[in-house]
Amino acid sequence: MSGRFPRSSTYHPDWIRAGVSGGANSLWLSEWLSSSLDLRPGMRMLDLGCGLASSSIFFRREFGVQVWATDLWFSASNNLRRIRDAGVEDGVFPIHADARSLPFAAEFFDVVVCVDSFPYFATDDMYLNTLLRLVKPGCQLGLVGAGLAQEVDGSVPHHLREWWTPDVWALHSAAWWRRHWERTGMVDIECADTMADGWQLWRDWVNLVAPDNTTEVNALEADAGRYLGYVRLVVRRRRDTHVDEPIASVPSEYTKAPLLRE
């Protein structure tokens, strides 16, 4: 893999495996995503759904950005230990927060990334507004992770049924994400694609970190990239986009009125 992911190949395999928090190698995906991002030292990055912060550490070390490593399911305190051990405590800040209730000021970030986490929270029609509020006008948002090469039209294909669980319906194709966000008129799509032979990398990673997961491996091999793979989306917030503040409460005043007609 060193030729395909030269930056990732410099990291020790044991360190990478120790940071497993999902079904993908977060460094491979981060490196693939970074090739479509305009990253410069000192930029403020939100790494949303960062898991064990491997991607956050990678972005800090490789590009000199300041990273707010934000996750709901994994301990920010444990992530801080991992960040300290990696020598990047000065530029990676672990945060425990829900993606639907983020504690950041409007237009605080220069870039937002989601590495193999966005299907869990970003598929609804209103979520783009939540993310765009946090990034400055003219800046980028990047998503990368497991997805589909094409949408499933109708029932689940027979060769995927044993592996397919209800949460897999959250996976979508690059074309779906392009349409989903482009129609809002709030962003310009800069990249929406599927990784060449991504299903093979997915299979190889599962074989490495979860060799007993034969159901997933068999599904990937039977599918051979027809549906399953890795997708990437990079968009840029339009400078003239108006982003609404989230509704935290609705002001109201009680006025007593008769309950029943006379």
Side-chain angles (χ1 to χ4, degrees):
M1 300 302 174
S2 59
R4 191 166 185 178
F5 303 107
R7 292 180 182 269
S8 301
S9 68
T10 65
Y11 291 78
H12 198 287
D14 291 344
W15 184 85
I16 296 173
R17 283 194 291 268
V20 171
S21 60
N25 184 317
S26 62
L27 298 197
W28 291 346
L29 295 182
S30 297
E31 185 164 350
W32 185 43
L33 179 62
S34 70
S35 65
S36 294
L37 296 175
D38 301 329
L39 299 179
R40 298 180 301 278
M43 292 177 71
R44 291 175 177 170
M45 169 185 284
L46 170 60
D47 186 359
L48 187 56
C50 69
L52 293 176
S54 295
S55 54
S56 304
I57 293 167
F58 175 84
F59 282 118
R60 173 62 179 174
R61 285 180 50 85
E62 298 299 318
F63 301 100
V65 294
Q66 300 180 75
V67 189
W68 277 255
T70 304
D71 200 273
L72 176 65
W73 293 349
F74 293 90
S75 165
S77 297
N78 284 342
N79 277 353
L80 179 58
R81 294 177 61 189
R82 186 169 170 81
I83 290 163
R84 282 174 174 165
D85 287 346
V88 291
E89 185 181 3
D90 63 331
V92 182
F93 315 109
I95 303 291
H96 181 262
D98 190 328
R100 297 182 177 276
S101 184
L102 294 168
F104 304 112
E107 301 183 6
F108 181 76
F109 294 104
D110 301 295
V111 61
V112 174
V113 299
C114 300
V115 178
D116 206 36
S117 58
F118 55 91
Y120 295 112
F121 50 76
T123 57
D124 74 63
D125 292 336
M126 302 297 292
Y127 193 72
L128 179 59
N129 188 91
T130 298
L131 285 187
L132 284 185
R133 173 182 167 273
L134 302 178
V135 72
K136 299 172 184 175
C139 291
Q140 291 177 302
L141 292 81
L143 314 179
V144 66
L148 302 178
Q150 59 176 316
E151 291 298 306
V152 173
D153 186 14
S155 60
V156 177
H158 185 269
H159 67 283
L160 295 177
R161 289 178 185 174
E162 184 180 359
W163 170 75
W164 197 281
T165 53
D167 59 301
V168 180
W169 286 111
L171 299 184
H172 290 289
S173 65
W176 186 93
W177 281 102
R178 172 187 285 275
R179 181 176 62 253
H180 187 56
W181 281 11
E182 190 172 42
R183 65 184 179 178
T184 67
M186 303 171 76
V187 296
D188 292 317
I189 309 294
E190 297 190 337
C191 176
D193 60 357
T194 305
M195 181 187 289
D197 299 325
W199 73 272
Q200 295 178 338
L201 295 182
W202 185 342
R203 177 202 58 193
D204 294 346
W205 180 247
V206 175
N207 274 326
L208 179 65
V209 301
D212 295 334
N213 189 356
T214 55
T215 300
E216 187 163 339
V217 171
N218 290 341
L220 286 161
E221 291 183 340
D223 183 69
R226 281 178 287 171
Y227 287 96
L228 303 180
Y230 292 138
V231 301
R232 173 177 60 176
L233 178 77
V234 176
V235 305
R236 192 177 297 272
R237 176 181 167 179
R238 293 182 177 175
R239 294 188 179 276
D240 59 352
T241 292
H242 172 75
V243 181
D244 294 327
E245 287 291 316
I247 298 175
S249 64
V250 178
S252 63
E253 183 175 335
Y254 175 69
T255 301
K256 186 175 181 179
L259 177 64
L260 302 174
R261 293 176 181 269
E262 292 295 335

